Amino acid sequence: MTARFNAIGLVVADMAASLAFYRGLGLDLPAEADTQPHAEATLPGGTRLMWDTVETVRSFDPEWTPPAGSHRVSLAFLCDSPAEVDKTYRDLVAAGARGEKEPWDAVWGQRYAVVLDPDGNGVDLFAPLPS
């Protein structure tokens, strides 16, 4: 059998804060997951996005430490329109997310913006620009 890509895992310092952020991006995450050591959501197409607390990871890897330096992972969320990129960015920043790069019209033909999730992971927001 060949290995198949199935999931993306994030290690989080504060499960409730992280899940609240991703709920703001439209992911369906039950409220009771806020207090669990592990949570996951199945995305369109079947790939899963999973969250584990630092404590959970350290339960099987006691020496684990977060990577140093700037974020190494970016998750990208397709928006329905350039205006939705702007609105989603504003809504997330108003809710406390750190804006990394305000919306702009990228040379590759997309409206683009970057926010950071509560653990500093990059989250790209994008939509095709009208032709």
Side-chain angles (χ1 to χ4, degrees):
M1 181 169 153
T2 302
R4 295 181 319 270
F5 180 69
N6 180 265
I8 299 164
L10 300 174
V11 179
V12 301
D14 182 332
M15 182 69 79
S18 188
L19 297 183
F21 174 86
Y22 286 97
R23 283 183 191 107
L25 287 164
L27 296 186
D28 184 22
L29 297 155
E32 59 270 14
D34 290 358
T35 59
Q36 299 300 309
H38 174 86
E40 58 183 72
T42 301
L43 307 174
T47 300
R48 295 173 299 142
L49 184 54
M50 304 181 305
W51 296 261
D52 288 295
T53 62
V54 170
E55 294 79 15
T56 299
V57 173
R58 286 191 178 144
S59 74
F60 59 83
D61 184 359
E63 303 300 317
W64 184 87
T65 57
S70 60
H71 56 269
R72 297 172 188 253
V73 172
S74 286
L75 303 176
F77 284 75
L78 173 64
C79 297
D80 289 334
S81 68
E84 186 182 352
V85 170
D86 295 2
K87 180 184 181 322
T88 303
Y89 179 90
R90 282 191 314 270
D91 290 350
L92 291 170
V93 169
R98 292 175 284 165
E100 177 82 353
K101 183 125 176 76
E102 292 186 10
W104 83 98
D105 290 344
V107 297
W108 55 85
Q110 294 174 329
R111 184 72 173 166
Y112 221 90
V114 182
V115 296
L116 300 180
D117 77 5
D119 294 283
N121 296 306
V123 176
D124 300 357
L125 309 171
F126 70 98
L129 290 168
S131 310

